[in-house]
Amino acid sequence: MKKQNENGENKFYPAASEQTSCTASAKMINKAKKDGAETAFDRVASLKSCSFGSGGTCCRICSMGPCRVTETRTGVCGATTSTVAARNFVRMIAAGAAAHSDHAREVIFTFIAAAKGEVPGYEIKDDTKLHALAKTFDINVEGKDKNQIALELGERALAEMSKQQGEITLVKQAPKKRQERWREEGISPRGVDREIVETMHRTHMGVDQDYKNILLHGCRASLADGWGGSMLATELQDIMFGTPIPIRAKVNLGVLKEDEVNIIVHGHEPLLSEMIVAATRDPELVEQAKEAGAKGINLAGICCTANEILMRKGIPVAGNFLQQELAICTGAVDAMVVDVQCIMQSLPTVAQCYHTEIITTSSKGKILGATHMEFDHHNAIETAKNIVKRAIKNYPKRRKVDIPKEEIELVAGFSHETINYMLGGRFRASYRPLNDNIINGRIKGVVGVVGCNNPRVKHDYVHTTLVKELIANNILVLVTGCAAISCAKEGLLIPEAAELAGAGLREVCEAVGIPPVLHCGSCVDNSRILVAVSEIVKEGGLGEDISEIPAAGCAPEWMSEKAVAIGQYFVSSGAVVGFGVSFPTANSEIISDYLFKEIEETTGGKWFYEPDPVKMAKILIENIDKRRKALGIDREKERVLYDMEMRRELEIV
Ligand code: SF4
Ligand code: MSK
């Protein structure tokens, strides 16, 4: 498509069907063009990325630069490509870890306030998980009620964040051998606040200039995120809002309703969105919506806020990262409520073409042109109600509405506790059946597919092509974040998708009644995958460390610094991790070589880069096969077909 840019030059934009494999999104990309709304899909076509920046060799940490360093030209200070690329890489880890962990901090503050009974609407819901976590923290629960235990746990969790010396408590969740390896290598994490501050210090001009030393600290900082900040956020959210169990819901832009007030919640923290769920069900507000001419109030999510309220409440998902602007282009969104992370600054500009009100709610995340309604956990219900009222008031201002029809069912809610129960049965919940099916070869291995969308690659296509390839090869796939939403839109998150799986995986999925692709939650919930792989190790028969089990991870459409932090904490925990799109240290052969090979000697895990989804699947499978061989389980055993009796038994060995 030819279009004039702001300088009057003719620019060629790719067809929408080349930019996304999601038909609903393609329709809205075209509609946006007609409506004069510019989206990321337009901007990416006219913005060439800088090769120094994308390959990690642009240094701008002091005013002698910025320096674009090459193998033959150091920075003004003498910094080499390896120093600059390593510094940039670990700064990305620090930023990603900061995002997850600051999220955790907000959750901990609310958790403590809930335990004290100071915040109406929040409570300690999951007693079992509360006691389990209290035990991990060696909290004496004798004679204490749940709020007393929660208060103690909340205070301990807060102290963990800034623990200055000694390793954080949750590393205990990792297999013993893994913990020992971290200690031997000097990367067992202290509190995430300390690790992030130290990252920023080491990467300040003129401090750490030995790339291995810089990257080693990157490992430590990433572990403080995965086994610290992220894990605390997930665990405490589960205790406050309930540990997810399998739940059916709908996904894609078709979940928006023409005749109801549509509110979209977008961002990451479930603290406010949980209250908005309650407010949209308030009979008084539903009545107000009717008075405004609507049939009711419809709530939907985008990005990880969507995943949070989907997993626990079955709230429909309007879309993933690249659909945030497109949802507004339907003309049917009366309010888009955002908190933190992954929110495009363009939203208020896109909204100007329609009637949508963009509402920011966090003091940490304001956007010019948006309405700010600050959320504080003490007045959460009040704020949530006021937001819903504004959306209702906005409903009559709608202009032309055009909602794509696409919506499809999904099943979400696979916490690691659920996987345990689903595969092992209510009375003998365990990972034994999963391990046995990996050992007997019905399931070749497990791959976590996580991360964002990126308009530099075809939206959703990379995720879904990769995942289809993996399940066809008997790989059980665990998904989180925007990758999970891509797969859901492709119909991969329903038990019927087992038809696309290889014979062995299909047999297991059909026997248990699970999809071959399990939705494990939001970005911070990648910590659930850490716990799941640790449980597989502890169950026995598949080695003694995460670096030995047939499992791997990838982020094929990644874009955010959080993806780098997540990828690195998996590598630091012993996993092989693949990135698509581009690799952030590509311009330094030394650093890429280190991350792709040598780091394995330290952590047992390593990175790889492959933008082609089919080739990426092949590499992941090769790595899994290598581990199967090392474990001596590379030969498939004879298959047994299930009869009804065996299915009833759920004893799938
Ligand atoms: Fe350039 Fe060195 Fe300053 Fe970086 S630290 S901007 S390489 S002079
Ligand atoms: S929301 S970090 S775009 S997964 Fe977690 Fe999606 Fe990536 Fe944001």
Side-chain angles (χ1 to χ4, degrees):
M1 181 184 286
K2 205 160 105 176
K3 200 181 162 191
Q4 282 203 330
N5 69 8
E6 65 278 12
N7 302 323
E9 300 156 336
N10 284 327
K11 290 269 169 192
F12 286 91
Y13 291 91
S17 57
E18 283 169 30
Q19 293 186 301
T20 177
S21 61
C22 167
T23 50
S25 298
K27 279 178 209 164
M28 287 303 108
I29 292 170
N30 289 331
K31 180 175 187 290
K33 286 195 173 82
K34 276 190 219 128
D35 296 348
E38 188 188 63
T39 70
F41 292 95
D42 301 316
R43 292 187 292 272
V44 76
S46 57
L47 270 174
K48 202 171 170 292
S49 71
C50 159
S51 66
F52 282 90
S54 74
T57 46
C58 171
C59 185
R60 44 175 295 276
I61 63 170
C62 89
S63 72
M64 291 188 282
C67 302
R68 294 168 154 205
V69 298
T70 65
E71 295 305 340
T72 54
R73 190 185 62 204
T74 65
V76 176
C77 67
T80 57
T81 47
S82 50
T83 299
V84 171
R87 276 198 303 230
N88 285 335
F89 189 70
V90 300
R91 280 192 167 208
M92 290 180 96
I93 294 172
H100 291 143
S101 304
D102 217 31
H103 169 162
R105 196 186 327 276
E106 292 300 330
V107 172
I108 297 169
F109 285 144
T110 309
F111 189 88
I112 291 173
K116 288 181 179 166
E118 293 172 353
V119 280
Y122 300 97
E123 56 177 322
I124 303 303
K125 260 195 192 141
D126 188 335
D127 263 19
T128 313
K129 195 150 191 172
L130 172 69
H131 278 88
L133 199 60
K135 194 171 166 212
T136 309
F137 274 87
D138 295 321
I139 292 171
N140 178 11
V141 297
E142 207 69 28
K144 293 177 189 159
D145 70 21
K146 68 175 182 182
N147 287 327
Q148 286 169 314
I149 301 169
L151 181 57
E152 215 171 305
L153 178 60
E155 279 163 356
R156 289 287 302 279
L158 195 57
E160 286 286 296
M161 303 286 292
S162 53
K163 191 167 187 178
Q164 299 300 313
Q165 280 167 336
E167 64 194 25
I168 51 173
T169 307
L170 288 176
V171 295
K172 280 200 258 173
Q173 309 273 62
K176 284 260 164 328
K177 200 168 162 186
R178 174 68 14 201
Q179 295 177 40
E180 281 157 20
R181 190 165 188 161
W182 288 335
R183 282 173 207 132
E184 274 161 26
E185 299 294 345
I187 56 172
S188 200
R190 298 157 298 188
V192 70
D193 292 352
R194 168 155 192 193
E195 302 301 5
I196 292 169
V197 169
E198 193 171 316
T199 306
M200 298 313 283
H201 177 200
R202 281 172 183 248
T203 57
H204 183 276
M205 193 271 149
V207 186
D208 205 348
Q209 286 157 110
D210 169 341
Y211 72 86
K212 284 192 193 172
N213 209 39
I214 298 170
L215 293 172
L216 212 58
H217 183 71
C219 291
R220 197 176 198 181
S222 71
L223 290 170
D225 173 13
W227 298 85
S230 283
M231 201 171 277
L232 283 170
T234 296
E235 300 287 274
L236 297 191
Q237 281 172 187
D238 279 357
I239 296 172
M240 251 192 307
F241 303 126
T243 303
I245 53 168
I247 190 161
R248 277 190 184 262
K250 297 252 170 86
V251 63
N252 215 344
L253 293 171
V255 304
L256 296 172
K257 304 251 169 70
E258 194 150 357
D259 50 6
E260 293 190 26
V261 174
N262 289 307
I263 300 171
I264 285 189
V265 280
H266 168 27
H268 279 77
E269 296 171 0
L271 298 171
L272 174 63
S273 50
E274 281 273 339
M275 295 304 124
I276 293 184
V277 174
T280 54
R281 291 170 182 170
D282 183 316
E284 227 175 87
L285 293 178
V286 174
E287 202 40 53
Q288 277 186 29
K290 287 182 179 158
E291 281 162 20
K295 282 197 176 144
I297 307 168
N298 180 41
L299 183 67
I302 293 251
C303 275
C304 278
T305 298
N307 288 320
E308 295 281 3
I309 52 175
L310 161 74
M311 291 270 281
R312 298 193 180 88
K313 297 274 188 314
I315 300 296
V317 177
N320 48 16
F321 175 69
L322 279 180
Q323 289 178 286
Q324 55 185 290
E325 295 170 303
L326 305 180
I328 297 171
C329 297
T330 61
V333 178
D334 302 299
M336 184 177 274
V337 188
V338 303
D339 55 14
V340 289
Q341 302 165 26
C342 305
I343 296 142
M344 290 192 192
Q345 188 177 345
S346 60
L347 294 183
T349 314
V350 175
Q352 275 173 11
C353 296
Y354 307 92
H355 78 299
T356 308
E357 180 161 27
I358 308 294
I359 301 173
T360 53
T361 57
S362 166
S363 58
K364 296 172 198 164
K366 295 187 180 181
I367 306 176
L368 289 178
T371 306
H372 188 70
M373 294 176 75
E374 193 135 327
F375 160 74
D376 172 328
H377 54 229
H378 292 97
N379 65 8
I381 296 178
E382 208 45 39
T383 313
K385 283 187 179 173
N386 287 338
I387 287 171
V388 174
K389 282 181 197 163
R390 280 191 88 97
I392 295 170
K393 228 169 123 192
N394 215 16
Y395 175 80
K397 296 185 195 153
R398 277 190 195 177
R399 298 169 223 166
K400 202 173 166 301
V401 168
D402 184 3
I403 304 171
K405 298 271 168 296
E406 285 85 348
E407 62 169 335
I408 188 165
E409 275 221 338
L410 78 144
V411 181
F414 292 91
S415 53
H416 60 87
E417 290 89 345
T418 303
I419 299 173
N420 210 10
Y421 153 67
M422 290 293 288
L423 287 160
R426 184 187 295 275
F427 299 110
R428 50 173 179 276
S430 103
Y431 275 74
R432 189 72 253 149
L434 176 61
N435 282 26
D436 286 335
N437 278 296
I438 294 174
I439 293 166
N440 69 30
R442 275 193 201 94
I443 296 176
K444 196 189 266 283
V446 181
V447 169
V449 181
V450 312
C452 328
N453 307 129
N454 188 320
R456 299 209 177 269
V457 298
K458 190 171 175 179
H459 171 230
D460 288 342
Y461 170 81
V462 190
H463 282 137
T464 54
T465 309
L466 168 83
V467 168
K468 283 187 207 162
E469 199 67 23
L470 290 173
I471 60 172
N473 282 283
N474 293 313
I475 304 283
L476 178 68
V477 176
L478 309 180
V479 284
T480 60
C482 292
I485 301 173
S486 295
C487 294
K489 288 190 286 169
E490 191 73 6
L492 297 170
L493 300 195
I494 46 173
E496 294 78 0
E499 285 170 20
L500 301 173
L505 176 61
R506 179 177 179 168
E507 226 175 273
V508 176
C509 290
E510 287 179 352
V512 187
I514 54 170
V517 184
L518 303 180
H519 189 313
C520 299
S522 62
C523 293
V524 291
D525 290 342
N526 283 306
S527 58
R528 296 190 198 278
I529 302 180
L530 290 178
V531 178
V533 290
S534 301
E535 290 300 314
I536 291 174
V537 173
K538 287 176 199 161
E539 192 56 50
L542 288 170
E544 293 171 32
D545 194 355
I546 298 171
S547 56
E548 293 169 49
I549 63 168
C554 60
E557 295 185 25
W558 78 281
M559 65 85 198
S560 87
E561 290 163 317
K562 289 179 289 171
V564 180
I566 293 165
Q568 186 59 51
Y569 72 60
F570 274 104
V571 169
S572 308
S573 301
V576 172
V577 175
F579 254 20
V581 190
S582 58
F583 200 80
T585 65
N587 289 352
S588 167
E589 223 177 294
I590 295 175
I591 298 300
S592 299
D593 247 35
Y594 180 81
L595 294 173
F596 295 168
K597 293 182 201 134
E598 212 181 316
I599 196 171
E600 200 172 7
E601 288 163 25
T602 307
T603 69
K606 61 180 176 183
W607 286 90
F608 74 90
Y609 166 62
E610 176 51 67
D612 181 287
V614 177
K615 288 187 192 153
M616 180 183 260
K618 197 165 165 261
I619 299 171
L620 290 164
I621 294 165
E622 278 165 5
N623 275 286
I624 281 175
D625 281 340
K626 219 164 103 192
R627 290 191 176 188
R628 292 187 69 86
K629 194 161 184 218
L631 289 166
I633 55 166
D634 48 331
R635 262 163 279 121
E636 287 189 18
K637 300 228 177 90
E638 201 189 319
R639 286 214 170 92
V640 179
L641 285 173
Y642 286 91
D643 59 20
M644 277 317 286
E645 185 61 24
M646 291 160 93
R647 279 165 200 251
R648 247 178 253 123
E649 274 282 292
L650 280 183
E651 184 63 65
I652 40 170
V653 253

